[in-house]
Amino acid sequence: MGQQLIKVPPTKNTLLKLKKQVRFLEDGHDLLERKRELLTRLVYERIGEYRRLRAESERALAEAYRCLAITHLRMGSRAIRQASLGVEPALQVDILPRRALGVEYPAVTSERLPLKPVGLLGTDVSFDTTRDHLAEAAVQLARLSEVEIALHRLLEEQRKAQKRVNALKYNIIPRYHRTIRFIQSSLEEEERNTLFQVKLLRGQAR
């Protein structure tokens, strides 16, 4: 399979076309290789960012749930539900498309809104503290989600680029080179035969 040739007539015209095509393929391979290297660099950068944000998100969530547990003990689940009904959002999230090296992923921006204290009768002060920590955890999770999605899509594109680079390097381009060598050899053989016949005819003419 690896030694297959391209099925084309072994002519000079075909040889010129194949040489032109193989140069185009080699240029394409170089561009893809550069893209793969850039994608690999981006992936490593995102991995570092992802690990940092994941650790920060885990810490923020742990603190938020610790505060929620305290509020639950002090107020009870029914009072928390009632107090939550009139609470305004503490976070504004915007999602816009972003592109990097042809890879599209969502750009997530989150902004903390002013936290209005809840002054309901029977509401413990820990209720507002819990809201504050939950909002902060949500900001961290929004950042983490952007990096995680971007990392996944960049990895997918990097794998595709690697697959195409390998296909060109180890299969398609070598096949063109083998076909070019075969045609060159065939044309040289044909030229030698023609010269031999010409010499033979000259000898007979004498």
Side-chain angles (χ1 to χ4, degrees):
M1 183 76 179
Q3 297 301 315
Q4 277 189 348
L5 301 175
I6 300 164
K7 291 180 181 178
V8 286
T11 63
K12 285 184 180 179
N13 193 36
T14 302
L15 185 64
L16 291 170
K17 281 182 182 177
L18 288 178
K19 283 182 176 180
K20 189 177 179 181
Q21 286 169 358
V22 84
R23 280 196 299 270
F24 175 78
L25 287 169
E26 284 168 346
D27 288 343
H29 169 269
D30 292 343
L31 284 171
L32 266 174
E33 181 62 37
R34 282 200 290 273
K35 181 181 178 180
R36 186 198 63 78
E37 287 171 0
L38 288 169
L39 282 165
T40 303
R41 197 180 305 160
L42 271 178
V43 164
Y44 278 111
E45 285 173 9
R46 289 283 177 169
I47 285 172
E49 194 179 359
Y50 170 74
R51 285 173 179 161
R52 179 180 60 79
L53 285 172
R54 182 166 177 168
E56 288 174 8
S57 298
E58 285 173 354
R59 282 195 295 271
L61 276 173
E63 183 60 23
Y65 278 114
R66 188 188 68 81
C67 291
L68 182 60
I70 292 168
T71 305
H72 196 272
L73 284 169
R74 291 181 178 176
M75 291 176 59
S77 56
R78 187 177 177 182
I80 290 172
R81 278 197 300 271
Q82 285 178 340
S84 301
L85 291 172
V87 171
E88 292 181 10
L91 195 71
Q92 182 179 321
V93 178
D94 294 310
I95 302 172
L96 293 168
R98 183 183 288 178
R99 291 182 77 86
L101 294 170
V103 181
E104 191 171 297
Y105 58 89
V108 183
T109 55
S110 55
E111 184 186 350
R112 288 285 305 272
L113 299 175
L115 201 65
K116 294 179 182 177
V118 177
L120 295 173
L121 188 66
T123 302
D124 191 83
V125 68
S126 65
F127 182 76
D128 286 333
T129 305
T130 298
R131 287 171 61 210
D132 184 58
H133 282 290
L134 283 169
E136 188 54 40
V139 168
Q140 296 290 348
L141 287 170
R143 289 175 188 157
L144 179 65
S145 66
E146 177 187 324
V147 173
E148 191 169 357
I149 292 168
L151 178 59
H152 173 74
R153 292 186 183 174
L154 286 166
L155 268 169
E156 193 177 336
E157 191 65 23
Q158 193 259 356
R159 287 191 196 105
K160 284 180 187 175
Q162 182 68 65
K163 197 174 178 182
R164 290 177 189 140
V165 164
N166 288 345
L168 283 166
K169 186 177 181 179
Y170 299 111
N171 185 7
I172 298 167
I173 292 173
R175 195 176 175 197
Y176 269 80
H177 282 303
R178 283 195 301 271
T179 306
I180 287 167
R181 285 195 298 270
F182 172 76
I183 292 173
Q184 283 174 332
S185 179
S186 298
L187 290 172
E188 285 167 6
E189 182 65 29
E190 189 181 318
E191 194 176 339
R192 280 195 295 271
N193 286 338
T194 304
L195 285 170
F196 178 73
Q197 286 172 7
V198 166
K199 283 178 182 178
L200 206 65
L201 288 168
R202 280 178 181 170
Q204 287 173 358
R206 288 174 188 172

